[in-house]
Amino acid sequence: MVYRIFIRSTHGLSLTPEGKQVLGYAQRICENHHLLTTSIKPSGPQCRISAIEYAPARRAFLQLMDENQHRRDISFAYTRISGFENRLLRGEIDLAINLSFSQYDSKTVEEAKKQRLSVQKLATIPACICISNKHRLFEKPDLKPEDFAGERLLDLGGKAISGIGLLMAYVPVDQTYVIERNQTRMAQQLREEGDVYAITHMRDVRSREENTRYIPIPGLSYSLFVYNDPLRPLSPELMRYLELLQEEITTTAP
């Protein structure tokens, strides 16, 4: 038997009596799933972290594992970030590290609270223009963002600026020149053409390529955020990871 669960009209959607009943069932399923995932205790300590491709986050994790290499009762997992909000709520990871535009800080915190997640801002990282040594301006001293007027903006896939309108106040980029490419395509195009550049977060000194130049953009930056589920208090190992990450950010700042 088929039941109608919502009614669509010019005023939007509204639930039928059957729809309200289905919604109640669905809410109870979600609540029970959350209780199940939060009540099951792992057999031993776990450090399951997802992070954006950010060198200090990776190095801090390797150092944490090195400090605990003598222990056999703890498991480690470090993955690239993907749908971290749902993974945190499902108990699949313990901590997530992500980068966001500093202009979106309040929105980021608000969205995290809606997801019942805890979020803290760990650092502010300068945004920059990066160019390869084939770029016509590579050898020019005292480069400024204004020198790139009319150039093409190449999207770095997740680490680059997607809201180009925000960039207009800082760098006069013609939006008709915006090209979206994945990172593999970006590297290939840098090698083949040379006359392209990207907006990304400032790399730390140890992560910079010798044939790439980074030009800071005044007034534009990224924030490094840490997310976790407040229903699962951070273990001493995860607290130590955050200490190591802070040290990495401080000691390798550009």
Side-chain angles (χ1 to χ4, degrees):
M1 187 175 293
V2 178
Y3 293 96
R4 192 175 186 183
I5 61 175
F6 62 83
I7 301 171
R8 189 190 304 272
S9 69
T10 55
H11 300 291
L13 295 178
S14 60
L15 291 172
T16 64
E18 292 81 8
K20 292 178 181 178
Q21 190 174 13
V22 170
L23 179 61
Y25 292 148
Q27 288 174 335
R28 286 196 289 274
I29 289 172
C30 292
E31 290 170 0
N32 288 334
H33 179 268
H34 186 72
L35 286 172
L36 180 64
T37 57
T38 55
S39 62
I40 295 176
K41 301 297 182 183
S43 57
Q46 293 178 305
C47 286
R48 301 167 302 174
I49 299 170
S50 273
I52 195 168
E53 184 56 36
Y54 181 57
R58 185 174 61 253
R59 288 196 298 265
F61 187 78
L62 292 174
Q63 188 172 343
L64 180 70
M65 286 199 302
D66 185 60
E67 289 182 358
N68 291 273
Q69 60 181 323
H70 62 285
R71 295 178 59 180
R72 295 292 179 264
D73 64 323
I74 188 169
S75 59
F76 294 93
Y78 184 87
T79 60
R80 298 281 290 274
I81 204 161
S82 175
F84 69 88
E85 299 97 334
N86 291 330
R87 294 182 67 193
L88 280 168
L89 293 174
R90 290 196 301 264
E92 296 174 358
I93 57 175
D94 305 303
L95 202 69
I97 310 294
N98 196 19
L99 285 171
S100 173
F101 294 121
S102 290
Q103 288 91 335
Y104 293 157
D105 282 3
S106 58
K107 183 178 179 181
T108 299
V109 173
E110 181 182 340
E111 288 299 320
K113 288 181 178 178
K114 286 181 181 178
Q115 295 281 347
R116 304 195 308 274
L117 295 176
S118 175
V119 58
Q120 62 172 306
K121 182 177 175 180
L122 202 64
T124 299
I125 303 160
C128 68
I129 297 172
C130 66
I131 58 174
S132 73
N133 57 3
K134 293 183 180 180
H135 195 283
R136 62 185 180 82
L137 297 175
F138 188 81
E139 298 294 341
K140 181 182 177 182
D142 302 321
L143 262 178
K144 299 178 181 178
E146 290 74 19
D147 294 321
F148 292 86
E151 295 277 355
R152 286 179 295 177
L153 175 67
L154 193 61
D155 192 319
L156 265 173
K159 290 184 289 186
I161 289 176
S162 55
I164 306 302
L166 292 175
L167 184 63
M168 299 302 290
Y170 303 96
V171 186
V173 176
D174 185 344
Q175 294 195 38
T176 60
Y177 284 89
V178 175
I179 308 171
E180 290 191 4
R181 294 284 186 271
N182 61 31
Q183 196 164 353
T184 303
R185 176 59 182 158
M186 180 208 71
Q188 180 182 346
Q189 196 160 345
L190 278 172
R191 288 193 299 269
E192 292 177 354
E193 300 181 14
D195 194 23
V196 293
Y197 73 93
I199 307 295
T200 183
H201 61 82
M202 180 69 86
R203 307 285 183 88
D204 65 75
V205 176
R206 287 186 286 176
S207 298
R208 296 187 195 177
E209 300 87 354
E210 291 183 0
N211 62 347
T212 304
R213 186 171 173 184
Y214 297 86
I215 301 92
I217 305 175
L220 195 63
S221 61
Y222 290 82
S223 293
L224 183 68
F225 281 107
V226 177
Y227 303 81
N228 68 282
D229 185 347
L231 296 179
R232 300 184 185 87
L234 294 180
S235 65
E237 293 79 17
L238 287 168
M239 294 295 291
R240 174 58 179 158
Y241 171 76
L242 293 181
E243 290 179 5
L244 293 171
L245 177 55
Q246 187 72 73
E247 290 173 11
E248 283 287 343
I249 295 169
T250 303
T251 57
T252 62

